[in-house]
Amino acid sequence: MKGDAAVIHVCEALASGILRVVPALADETVVAGIPTVVVYGRRPETPEDMSEWFDPRVRLVPVDGWGDRSAVGGCVGTVRAAVALRRELSRFHGGVLHLHSTYAGLVGRLVPAPGWARFYTPQGYAFLNGSHPRGLRWLTLVAETALAPRAHTIACSRAEGAVAARLARRHGVSVVQNGVDGELAEPGVAPAGEGFVVASVGRAAYQRRPDLFVEMRALLGEDGDTAFHWFGDGPDRELLVGAGVAVSGWLAQRDAAAAIARTDVLVHFSAFEGLPLSLLEAMRAGRAVVASDLPAIREVVDDAGILVRDAPEAADAVRRLRADESLRAELAARAHDRAERLFTKRAMVERTLATYGL
């Protein structure tokens, strides 16, 4: 890169899994002496003080209202994001522009960016989101197809890469799998009366299918020694609470790691995926996992967990793991080994920068 070039990351919602990816990439380039900028919107789960997540030399540019999903608010936020991005692009003479997730991808591929190499990581295509109206999904698919030539797609899983290749046709697609780091955490202090802990982690919304977690919990019935937790928060919080699931709210990273460490079985339902970082973190923590049988999740779990198609199969899997401590320990060990060997943050960062050409 030229001496006056930069790396700019754009994120419509700097939260959840993307909050594990972008700081790792941004810190790597700013430490190497490359000016690095993050333009981002906010969700309720976005930390108030983003400076705690980044090297202090990374320039952070929040965009008010970007992330608002109402019709008017969404349009206003998108315009503000485009203006903010144009302003940041004008400060440098080209470089790398990396767009993270669908809405950032739409803005960043429409804004003129001569001299910039554009990269786009969907982290789960929005047109696969069955909770969106059919018309919106169709429009998103049309937009993805039309805009595919305007950026090199860096898919976060082989499954996402296969979708990207169909959309991009002859244009560039690379696969860089998400990765996590971290040693086994010390378990947090369990509330009195808890014995066997079944939990899920993430945003309580359609993609993570909290309705299936509730159905599974009902099928498992009442057992005074089993506790059901959802570590996270979201619009479907009350659905979970009403079914007797303890919802923690958003936790600091250290507290979330401690909560996962005291979980006996981590259940990861999903409607669609890029490559789930919360599942990788549970595997890295040495937890037995039960997860939806989707292509991206098969890519992660393989034989290191139990894959299920619905809530009854998940309930059966939890019963098996509760009854068989040796099976639980074996799957937990396999999960830790697989995450540690194949899905590291270091590999993710190095492969991404190599794709940039740095």
Side-chain angles (χ1 to χ4, degrees), residues 138-171:
W138 181 82
L139 285 173
T140 307
L141 174 58
V142 170
E144 289 284 5
T145 304
L147 294 173
R150 297 178 65 86
H152 182 105
T153 301
I154 304 178
C156 65
S157 65
R158 291 192 295 271
E160 184 170 87
V163 177
R166 292 196 295 272
L167 294 173
R169 298 180 295 278
R170 295 185 300 276
H171 302 282

Side-chain angles (χ1 to χ4, degrees), residues 107-239:
V107 171
R109 287 178 291 179
L110 287 171
V111 168
W116 291 83
R118 279 190 268 215
F119 299 88
Y120 169 49
T121 300
Q123 294 285 357
Y125 281 103
F127 62 79
L128 299 175
N129 188 339
S131 70
H132 289 171
R134 182 174 297 179
L136 178 59
R137 294 177 66 188
W138 181 82
L139 285 173
T140 307
L141 174 58
V142 170
E144 289 284 5
T145 304
L147 294 173
R150 297 178 65 86
H152 182 105
T153 301
I154 304 178
C156 65
S157 65
R158 291 192 295 271
E160 184 170 87
V163 177
R166 292 196 295 272
L167 294 173
R169 298 180 295 278
R170 295 185 300 276
H171 302 282
V173 175
S174 301
V175 173
V176 176
Q177 292 168 313
N178 285 339
V180 297
D181 280 344
E183 296 305 314
L184 299 178
E186 289 296 322
V189 177
E194 281 195 349
F196 193 78
V197 176
V198 179
S200 193
V201 181
R203 188 167 184 257
Y206 171 78
Q207 181 180 3
R208 292 298 323 284
R209 296 303 304 269
D211 58 314
L212 294 183
F213 195 84
V214 165
E215 183 183 351
M216 177 197 70
R217 191 252 182 274
L219 289 167
L220 288 168
E222 294 298 331
D223 181 344
D225 193 36
T226 300
F228 297 87
H229 286 266
W230 190 286
F231 301 128
D233 214 331
D236 288 340
R237 176 191 181 96
E238 294 308 314
L239 172 68

Side-chain angles (χ1 to χ4, degrees), residues 291-316:
S292 292
D293 189 4
L294 298 177
I297 293 179
R298 288 197 294 272
E299 184 176 330
V300 173
V301 174
D302 195 46
D303 65 348
I306 299 176
L307 299 177
V308 298
R309 293 169 295 181
D310 52 29
E313 288 190 3
D316 287 343

